[in-house]
Amino acid sequence: MNLNMNIISTHKEWPLLAQKALNGERLTEEEGLAVLEASDDEVLPLLQAAFQVRKHYYGKKVKLNMIINAKSGLCPEDCGYCSQSIVSTAPVSKYTLLDKDTLLAGAREAMARKAGTYCIVAAGKGPTDKELAQVVDAVKEIRETMPLKICACLGILKDEQAQRLEEAGVHRYNHNLNTSKANYPSITTTHTYDQRVETVEKVKTYGMSPCSGVIIGMGETNEEIVEMAYALRDLDSDSIPINFLNAIPGTPLEHAGRTPAMKALKVLALFRFICPSKEIRVAGGREVNLRTLQPMSLYAANSLFVGDYLTTAGQSIGVDHQMIEDLGFEIELNAL
């Protein structure tokens, strides 16, 4: 079933894309572009179609995830979006890897916020052996004492490091593609897009669930956004965080404009159609890009980060919980 872009112009056509996604069929590039280039008047019927796919796989449940910035501001990478990079002049906290007690306290806070997944994130190209040992030690105790899913995000891994994380009980490993292959050199030069892909493939080899997503708003074209969604489908990423650039003063991308809220909703619908069964998470930058339209994002996405991000503040946990309740949705407690 192929749809011509010139007929994908009214609300009558979006359910056909939803059915195609539910049938396991791959959207064409033309169909993907039609989603992103739809009139803003089409956003409500577009989200309704995306919701049919989301509801099929996840009902009205919402998974919550919480990040702890386990190592901050000491990164040798030159990622243009990041306030912790070596080229950033943003005033951020700088500290080495947090001790075990602090990581355990973060896990308890994740439980208090009703998060099912606790994400241990450390800035850097990859972990040292000492850092890896600290993370492994903390993960083992968390797994023994709390019903949490553990996600680690520590950069590029060696084979033995991936094996040790899996043996310690890490469920999921995050390594975002961030942008398209063609756009990658304009964002980062200290590692390559292919290295990112290789890391995601490696964690799959060692039995961890792959988590990989994107950052929207870094100069990519609509065609590249569709390409990014296809790339994550082909990688079989189980969890896909969709970040919207929060342009931080002092970073190379500080003057990048925000993604309009209606465009952000179209992006989320696109990823739901292309990666229908996957955990689509509204991630960093949702507060400053989606603004008052944040609740609408959950008609396509089924997951949120709650609390603060790495160096930027999120909205209060009470507001997030209230938003989910007001939608008539339900937090998936301890979502393993």
Side-chain angles (χ1 to χ4, degrees):
M1 173 171 54
N2 288 321
L3 302 178
N4 190 291
M5 184 185 279
N6 62 20
I7 68 167
I8 308 179
S9 57
T10 73
H11 66 275
K12 297 178 182 177
E13 308 304 332
W14 305 122
L16 299 178
L17 292 186
Q19 191 58 55
K20 189 171 184 177
L22 289 169
N23 291 343
E25 299 175 51
R26 186 182 178 112
L27 269 66
T28 66
E29 182 178 351
E30 186 179 57
E31 291 163 352
L33 283 172
V35 173
L36 296 179
E37 294 172 1
S39 162
D40 288 350
D41 292 345
E42 290 295 306
V43 165
L44 282 178
L46 180 59
L47 284 178
Q48 174 61 20
F51 179 63
Q52 296 311 306
V53 183
R54 181 241 202 267
K55 188 176 180 182
H56 175 81
Y57 289 103
Y58 295 101
K60 294 174 124 181
K61 294 186 182 240
V62 180
K63 297 176 186 287
L64 300 183
N65 302 255
M66 194 195 89
I67 292 173
I68 186 167
N69 191 7
K71 176 187 174 187
S72 179
L74 299 170
C75 187
E77 303 285 277
D78 67 354
C79 305
Y81 53 84
C82 183
S83 59
Q84 301 181 80
S85 79
I86 196 168
V87 295
S88 169
T89 60
V92 299
S93 298
K94 296 182 179 179
Y95 52 82
T96 57
L97 194 73
L98 297 174
D99 61 33
K100 178 180 175 181
D101 287 344
T102 306
L103 293 176
L104 290 172
R108 289 190 289 272
E109 179 61 26
M111 294 280 294
R113 294 180 184 186
K114 302 183 180 179
T117 301
Y118 178 51
C119 308
I120 301 173
V121 183
K125 189 158 192 172
T128 65
D129 289 342
K130 180 180 178 182
E131 289 169 343
L132 192 83
Q134 287 178 251
V135 171
V136 163
D137 191 30
V139 167
K140 286 180 177 177
E141 185 158 340
I142 293 168
R143 288 298 312 276
E144 289 171 359
T145 58
M146 294 174 235
L148 280 171
K149 178 183 287 182
I150 306 297
C151 179
C153 178
L154 310 174
I156 295 170
L157 292 177
K158 301 172 185 174
D159 286 84
E160 61 271 21
Q161 292 176 325
Q163 183 174 353
R164 288 183 65 194
L165 288 171
E166 190 280 329
E167 290 173 350
V170 171
H171 299 86
R172 174 184 290 172
Y173 195 85
N174 169 261
H175 204 56
N176 291 332
L177 296 186
N178 289 327
T179 193
S180 70
K181 186 169 185 175
N183 196 40
Y184 211 83
S186 70
I187 303 302
T188 308
T189 65
T190 46
H191 63 267
T192 67
Y193 177 92
D194 288 341
Q195 284 178 296
R196 291 256 166 183
V197 172
E198 289 165 9
T199 298
V200 177
E201 293 288 7
K202 181 173 293 183
V203 301
K204 287 160 62 177
T205 299
Y206 283 93
M208 288 180 284
S209 172
C211 173
S212 188
V214 297
I215 304 172
I216 302 297
M218 300 198 296
E220 71 285 341
T221 64
N222 281 345
E223 288 82 1
E224 286 175 312
I225 295 175
V226 175
E227 177 190 324
M228 289 146 62
Y230 288 149
L232 290 166
R233 177 187 173 109
D234 292 341
L235 266 177
D236 200 25
S237 179
D238 292 330
S239 176
I240 302 175
I242 310 294
N243 301 276
F244 299 98
L245 180 69
N246 184 354
I248 299 172
T251 64
L253 291 176
E254 64 179 331
H255 299 299
R258 57 176 287 275
T259 299
M262 298 294 264
K263 172 69 175 290
L265 292 171
K266 294 171 196 174
V267 169
L268 291 166
L270 172 77
F271 275 81
R272 177 55 69 201
F273 289 140
I274 291 181
C275 305
S277 66
K278 302 303 186 180
E279 179 181 336
I280 306 294
R281 185 178 321 125
V282 195
R286 66 176 165 97
E287 296 86 353
V288 296
N289 289 272
L290 283 157
R291 299 196 295 208
T292 59
L293 298 190
Q294 287 182 72
M296 295 175 69
S297 68
L298 289 175
Y299 286 100
N302 67 294
S303 178
L304 290 174
F305 276 121
V306 291
D308 295 337
Y309 301 96
L310 294 175
T311 63
T312 57
Q315 67 186 18
S316 77
I317 186 63
V319 171
D320 282 335
H321 286 180
Q322 189 67 64
M323 176 175 71
I324 293 166
E325 180 182 331
D326 289 348
L327 284 165
F329 289 7
E330 175 188 357
I331 296 170
E332 187 173 348
L333 296 174
N334 307 129
L336 297 176

